[in-house]
Amino acid sequence: MTNNSSLFRKKSVDKILHDAEQADEKAGLAKVLGVRDLVSLGIAAIVGAGIFSTIGLASFNGGPAVSLLFVFTAIACVFTALSYAQFASTVPVSGSAYTYAYVSFGELFAWIIGWALILEYAVSNMVVAISWSEYFVSMLAGFGLHLPAYLTIDPGSAAEAYEKFQVAGGTGTLTVAEREAAQAYQTAPQLGTFRLILDLPAGLITVLVTALVYRGIRESRTASNIMVVLKIGVVLLVIFAGAFYVKPENWIPFAPNGVKGVLSGVAAVFFAFIGFDSISTTAEECKNPQRDLPRAMIYCLLICTVLYVFITLVLTGMVNYQELNVDDPLAFVFQRIGLDFMAGIISVSAVIAITSALLVYQLGQPRIWMTMSRDGLLWKRFSRIHPKYKTPSFATTVTGIVVAVPALFFKMDFFVDLTSVGTFFAFILVCAGVLYLDYTGISKQSRFRVPYINGQLVVGVFFIIAFGYTLSTGTLPESIGVKPLLAFFWLTWLVLSVLAFRYKFSLLPVLGILTNLYLMTELGTSNWLIFVVWLVIGLVIYFSYGYRKSALAEGNE
C-alpha cells in the first residue's frame, strides 16, 4: 500500500476481500446468483432500450452498415470484457471498475471512475425510463386508452413544438409528433405562468422498479429471468418474421453516409453494450463469482452481438434506412408493411422487455455507491444493508429519486449523448489495470486471465502502418481540427508502442485501450463539457469529504 496521505494510495486485493468478508459477517448481501442468472441480467441490460429505441437513430445515420458498427463496438467490448473478467476473478466484490481502479491506480482514479459510473448508470436509466414511457403510451393507445398528452411528454419538447407551431402559423409544416406536443402544451393545466407538463409514466416505472430492487436480489433475479425469456423471444420473432419481408435493394447503398455516418451512431450503439459492466456490480451476490462472472460476461457479449447484427440487417432490409428515425423502430417497420398485429405484439413486449433493462441498471448503481461508502469516500448511510431484504436500502432509495425526477422533465436525446463518456473512460482504465496486474505479478492470484499474446512488436508495427497511412491521405490536420481528441489517441498509441516493447505488454488489453479511446473521439463536444462539469463537482466532494474520511487515510484504518 502507498503513503496514507497520497492521492494515489491503493487498496491491496487482500484488504478488499477482507473488507467484503467483514461486511458479509455484519449484514451481508444474499449470495444467490449463478452463471445463468448473471447471463440473464447481462442480456436484460444489453438488449434493452438500445434494441427497442436507439437502434433506429443509429440506422438512420449510418444505413445498413451500422450492423458493422455493432461488430466493431462488440470487439472493443470483448477486449474490455476479458479484462473485466480477470479483475472479477481476482477481486470478486461489488464496485465494478471503481474497485478495479482502486487496486491498480489508487484512490483518486478510483473516485473519478466511481463518480463517472454514477453518472453513466443514472443517465442510462433515464434513457431507458423515457423509452419505456413511449412504448407504454403507444401500447395503451393500441387498446384505445389515451393518457392526457401533457402527462406523457417532457416540458422542453412541448414548449419547442408550441413555439414552432406559432412561427409556422399552423400545423401544416409540423410532423404528427410535433403537432401532438404543441397540443400538449396548449392543453396543460396552468398555475400562474407554470404549465403542468411531465412524463409521468417514466417517473412511475422508475419508482416501481426501484421498489422491486429494494425488496431483494431473489425477487429481482426472478423478474429479470422471466422478462429476458420474453425479450429474446420477441427479438427472434422480429428477425425470423422480418426476414421474409427483406428487400435487398434497401441495403444499397450499404453505407450511404460513409464511415462518418456509421460512426456518428457510436453513442447510440455503445449505449447498448454498457450493460455488461452491471454484471460485475453483483459480484458479492454470486455463489461462485471467480468462476461465473468471467463466463457470464463473454456469453452475454456473444449472444447480444449476434442479435444486434441480425436485427439491424432485418430492419434496414424491411424499410429504407431514411425512415428509421423513430423512437419505436421495431414496431414501426411492421406497421410500415401493414402487419399491425405484429407491431402491437412488439409494443406490448417492449414495455416488459425495457423494464428488465431498467431493473438491472437500478440494481447496479446502488452497489457502486455501497462500495464507495464502505471505503469511506461517500457517507456511511450509502453502505447500510437492509436487515430483512439484504439490499443496500438507502443507496437504492436515492438511486430511485436521482433517476425518476429527471426522467419526468427531460428529453431522451439530451441523455443519450451523455451515456458513453464515463463508460469509455472506465473501460480504458480496466484494460490498463490488467497491464498493471501483469506487471506487478498480481495476475498470479487471478482465477481467469486474459489470454496472453505478446504485443512487444505488434503494437508498434501497427502504429507505424496506421499512422503512416493516415499521413499519406493528408487528412490528419483536418481530422484533428474537427476532433482534437484524435491527437491524444495517436499520442497514446505511440506511448503504448514504447511501453509494449519495453515491458512485453499483453496485446488484447492494449487493443481494448485503443479501440475504446478511438470510439471516444467520435463523441460530441457537449458530452465532454457536461462530463467535465460532473467531474469537477465530484472532485469538490472528494476533497471536501472523501479524501479525509477515506478508510486508507491516517487514523481511519
Side-chain angles (χ1 to χ4, degrees):
M1 235 179 288
T2 55
N3 186 336
N4 284 356
S5 63
S6 169
L7 291 174
F8 304 102
R9 51 200 176 199
K10 297 172 184 174
K11 291 188 78 171
S12 67
V13 173
D14 291 338
K15 178 164 178 56
I16 288 176
L17 296 176
H18 174 71
D19 290 347
E21 286 172 11
Q22 279 192 324
D24 278 346
E25 289 171 9
K26 292 177 183 175
L29 302 171
K31 294 183 179 293
V32 298
L33 301 178
V35 67
R36 216 178 272 173
D37 301 315
L38 292 168
V39 171
S40 177
L41 288 171
I43 293 174
I46 297 172
V47 183
I51 210 163
F52 284 98
S53 183
T54 57
I55 195 174
L57 177 62
S59 300
F60 172 75
N61 289 327
V66 81
S67 56
L68 299 180
L69 180 57
F70 278 107
V71 175
F72 182 54
T73 307
I75 290 170
C77 287
V78 166
F79 297 142
T80 310
L82 290 170
S83 299
Y84 262 91
Q86 179 165 333
F87 266 112
S89 73
T90 312
V91 195
V93 299
S94 298
S96 182
Y98 158 78
T99 301
Y100 308 155
Y102 222 146
V103 171
S104 307
F105 303 107
E107 188 170 280
L108 182 60
F109 276 104
W111 169 266
I112 290 171
I113 287 299
W115 189 247
L117 287 175
I118 288 171
L119 175 67
E120 296 309 305
Y121 273 86
V123 166
S124 297
N125 248 359
M126 292 167 200
V127 173
V128 175
I130 295 167
S131 179
W132 183 93
S133 174
E134 290 168 348
Y135 270 99
F136 180 70
V137 171
S138 174
M139 181 192 74
L140 290 182
F143 290 109
L145 301 172
H146 298 277
L147 294 174
Y150 56 84
L151 293 180
T152 63
I153 192 171
D154 63 276
S157 295
E160 286 174 18
Y162 182 67
E163 186 177 340
K164 192 172 181 180
F165 166 76
Q166 287 183 309
V167 171
T171 60
T173 59
L174 272 64
T175 65
V176 174
E178 287 172 336
R179 287 200 293 271
E180 291 175 353
Q183 186 180 16
Y185 187 86
Q186 288 175 297
T187 57
Q190 284 185 259
L191 294 172
T193 57
F194 174 78
R195 291 178 184 268
L196 180 64
I197 303 174
L198 70 162
D199 194 345
L200 187 61
L204 287 179
I205 189 59
T206 304
V207 172
L208 291 173
V209 168
T210 302
L212 175 61
V213 172
Y214 186 95
R215 283 190 62 84
I217 190 69
R218 285 187 179 86
E219 291 79 0
S220 301
R221 175 193 64 181
T222 303
S224 174
N225 289 345
I226 293 170
M227 289 188 282
V228 164
V229 170
L230 174 67
K231 180 190 300 191
I232 297 301
V234 173
V235 171
L236 292 176
L237 176 65
V238 171
I239 291 171
F240 288 114
F244 291 100
Y245 297 92
V246 166
K247 298 177 181 178
E249 58 265 30
N250 284 330
W251 289 334
I252 303 172
F254 192 65
N257 299 314
V259 175
K260 184 178 180 182
V262 174
L263 290 176
S264 69
V266 163
V269 168
F270 194 78
F271 162 70
F273 281 103
I274 64 176
F276 85 83
D277 170 89
S278 61
I279 301 174
S280 62
T281 67
T282 63
E284 289 178 48
E285 289 145 297
C286 298
K287 297 173 186 174
N288 189 343
Q290 292 178 308
R291 181 197 68 190
D292 294 344
L293 281 170
R295 292 181 182 181
M297 290 176 182
I298 304 303
Y299 294 161
C300 280
L301 278 177
L302 292 175
I303 293 168
C304 295
T305 301
V306 170
L307 291 177
Y308 267 109
V309 170
F310 275 107
I311 207 162
T312 306
L313 290 173
V314 167
L315 287 179
T316 53
M318 290 176 69
V319 302
N320 187 281
Y321 74 95
Q322 293 175 316
E323 298 182 50
L324 287 172
N325 190 18
V326 293
D327 293 325
D328 53 350
L330 270 63
F332 170 79
V333 293
F334 284 99
Q335 286 176 331
R336 185 71 176 74
I337 61 174
L339 294 180
D340 289 339
F341 76 96
M342 275 289 292
I345 291 171
I346 291 167
S347 290
V348 173
S349 303
V351 169
I352 300 170
I354 295 175
T355 305
S356 68
L358 189 64
L359 184 149
V360 177
Y361 287 127
Q362 287 298 88
L363 203 65
Q365 182 165 325
R367 282 148 183 81
I368 294 174
W369 277 347
M370 174 193 73
T371 309
M372 294 174 76
S373 175
R374 276 185 196 163
D375 294 333
L377 303 186
L378 284 177
W379 297 272
K380 285 298 178 188
R381 294 186 70 182
F382 281 97
S383 58
R384 181 187 299 164
I385 304 297
H386 195 284
K388 179 179 178 183
Y389 301 130
K390 303 296 182 184
T391 57
S393 50
F394 179 76
T396 301
T397 303
V398 174
T399 298
I401 295 169
V402 166
V403 174
V405 174
L408 288 169
F409 300 109
F410 288 92
K411 291 173 68 173
M412 184 166 77
D413 294 358
F414 174 77
F415 293 123
V416 168
D417 289 340
L418 286 177
T419 54
S420 300
V421 180
T423 309
F424 278 129
F425 191 41
F427 283 8
I428 288 169
L429 281 192
V430 170
C431 292
V434 168
L435 299 176
Y436 172 82
L437 295 187
D438 290 344
Y439 174 73
T440 57
I442 298 175
S443 289
K444 294 175 183 176
Q445 301 178 41
S446 306
R447 291 274 295 274
F448 172 90
R449 295 184 64 176
V450 177
Y452 179 78
I453 301 172
N454 191 339
Q456 184 177 27
L457 297 176
V458 178
V459 179
V461 169
F462 275 119
F463 170 78
I464 293 170
I465 294 171
F467 192 68
Y469 173 76
T470 305
L471 281 178
S472 69
T473 62
T475 59
L476 185 61
E478 182 185 347
S479 299
I480 291 177
V482 176
K483 295 180 290 189
L485 196 63
L486 268 176
F488 183 70
F489 168 76
W490 287 114
L491 179 62
T492 301
W493 196 346
L494 175 61
V495 171
L496 284 173
S497 300
V498 175
L499 294 176
F501 181 80
R502 184 174 179 182
Y503 298 109
K504 298 183 179 180
F505 277 171
S506 176
L507 180 62
L508 297 185
V510 172
L511 291 176
I513 293 170
L514 293 175
T515 48
N516 282 304
L517 185 56
Y518 181 76
L519 288 171
M520 281 181 86
T521 67
E522 296 295 328
L523 299 177
T525 307
S526 61
N527 304 34
W528 287 99
L529 290 175
I530 295 173
F531 179 69
V532 168
V533 171
W534 177 256
L535 193 59
V536 169
I537 294 170
L539 290 174
V540 169
I541 294 174
Y542 172 71
F543 285 110
S544 61
Y545 182 87
Y547 178 73
R548 293 181 296 104
K549 298 290 186 178
S550 168
L552 297 187
E554 294 285 358
N556 289 341
E557 287 192 281

